[in-house]
Amino acid sequence: MRQLTPAAQRTRSVIKHVLLILASLAMIYPLLWMVVSSLRPNELIFREPGILLTTFEFDNYIQGWNALSHPFSHFLLNSAIVVFGSILANLVSCSMAAYAFARLDFKFKTPMFVVMLLSIMLPVHVVIIPQYILFSNFGWVNTFLPLIVPKILATDAFFIFLMVQFIRGIPRDLDEAARVDGAGHIRIFVQIMLPLMTPALATTTIFTFMWTWNDFFSQLIYLTSPDMYTVPLALRAFIDSTGESNWGGMFAMSIISILPLFIIFLVGQRFLIKGMVTTGIK
């Protein structure tokens, strides 16, 4: 192939970077529009669809914080309880299940692993009705238990598969050396596997945080009282189908609600990339 001249290479590089910048702007435009709309009066939000601000209205944040039956911090706390409970449950149960599939030999291991993988393709809408009936009989409706307790049983097969792939990449010589020193499976799992599984555990933490924090469907099904509302349900409460909707307050609280997602992603992106790469190439 004919080698490009330095001028042609610079031109090609400039065109490539311009296209990437334009694509990035197209992707972040909805976010920029939401930030701008949170600083506009309600009557101007849809009247001025651009992202250029003519006035700054911080009242949306003050009014949005106190617009519902509780301050918005109440709903942030509810979401935090569900999120951290789900993270803890997933880390403990999925790591133990993954160690069992990757290191232990037991009857029906392969069929059970196949069934576990098949459950990844099972839509949540298929099981939501029998689950709701079960949890209703337990008296768990309008509590956080239906959102946390199932994860204690390692129901998130994606994270199990992720950790299984990671553990399979750890040399078995470490297990054998620990076993020679008299260590059992519990000690090997706690003192050897868990420290080495940090990237996979961090990936599980980040994905669980993002998926649970943004979950609307499951929380809408099980949480019926405004006192138990999480952030997604609280944001939905700003929209009134029969009266006037507080769009400015909703956009303002939406900005506040996505800040934890940005923080957790920025802090853990190094582990996220490492965990996905080291488990996906095996």
Side-chain angles (χ1 to χ4, degrees):
M1 296 179 63
R2 185 172 59 88
Q3 186 175 4
L4 297 176
T5 63
Q9 291 179 355
R10 287 194 297 269
T11 302
R12 184 176 182 179
S13 177
V14 169
I15 294 175
K16 181 178 67 174
H17 283 82
V18 169
L19 293 176
L20 289 174
I21 291 173
L22 292 177
S24 300
L25 291 176
M27 294 175 62
I28 67 173
Y29 179 83
L31 179 61
L32 293 177
W33 184 85
M34 186 169 64
V35 173
V36 171
S37 298
S38 68
L39 298 172
R40 283 176 174 163
N42 277 328
E43 61 272 11
L44 297 180
I45 290 178
F46 298 106
R47 191 180 302 173
E48 299 179 1
I51 59 174
L52 296 179
L53 275 175
T54 56
T55 59
F56 288 87
E57 294 286 344
F58 293 99
D59 291 342
N60 288 333
Y61 287 87
I62 299 175
Q63 295 175 2
W65 189 269
N66 301 296
L68 303 178
S69 58
H70 298 279
F72 203 75
S73 57
H74 178 84
F75 309 114
L76 292 172
L77 178 61
N78 287 345
S79 284
I81 294 173
V82 176
V83 165
F84 289 114
S86 300
I87 290 174
L88 182 60
N90 269 342
L91 290 178
V92 174
S93 62
C94 293
S95 61
M96 293 174 64
Y99 177 80
F101 280 122
R103 286 295 196 259
L104 303 184
D105 293 323
F106 53 89
K107 195 174 183 180
F108 303 120
K109 173 182 174 179
T110 300
M112 292 176 64
F113 188 73
V114 172
V115 171
M116 184 271 295
L117 292 180
L118 290 176
S119 67
I120 299 177
M121 297 177 283
L122 190 66
V124 64
H125 309 85
V126 175
V127 298
I128 192 65
I129 294 178
Q131 283 182 350
Y132 183 87
I133 295 175
L134 177 65
F135 295 143
S136 178
N137 292 333
F138 288 165
W140 289 0
V141 175
N142 200 34
T143 68
F144 298 141
L145 294 178
L147 304 173
I148 299 176
V149 171
K151 299 183 185 301
I152 300 177
L153 304 177
T155 56
D156 286 333
F158 172 77
F159 299 127
I160 299 177
F161 176 72
L162 186 78
M163 295 183 189
V164 167
Q165 294 297 95
F166 193 91
I167 294 175
R168 285 175 176 173
I170 299 175
R172 287 184 175 268
D173 296 342
L174 297 175
D175 302 39
E176 296 173 358
R179 202 167 285 114
V180 169
D181 292 337
H185 285 295
I186 296 179
R187 186 176 175 185
I188 293 174
F189 173 71
V190 174
Q191 296 185 357
I192 297 178
M193 290 300 168
L194 285 182
L196 296 175
M197 290 170 58
T198 300
L201 296 176
T203 302
T204 300
T205 300
I206 295 172
F207 274 113
T208 302
F209 186 97
M210 295 175 63
W211 292 348
T212 307
W213 188 269
N214 291 325
D215 182 25
F216 176 78
F217 180 73
S218 298
Q219 297 171 10
L220 177 66
I221 295 296
Y222 294 114
L223 304 179
T224 58
S225 171
D227 294 337
M228 304 298 295
Y229 278 3
T230 54
V231 168
L233 301 183
L235 292 176
R236 177 61 180 82
F238 281 95
I239 302 176
D240 187 1
S241 59
T242 60
E244 183 178 358
S245 299
N246 187 359
W247 296 103
M250 185 188 70
F251 290 141
M253 294 303 100
S254 297
I255 297 298
I256 293 178
S257 66
I258 63 177
L259 289 179
L261 297 176
F262 279 112
I263 294 173
I264 194 69
F265 181 78
L266 291 176
V267 172
Q269 62 176 334
R270 176 169 59 92
F271 296 102
L272 177 64
I273 296 173
K274 184 177 180 181
M276 294 302 293
V277 170
T278 54
T279 56
I281 62 177
K282 296 180 179 63

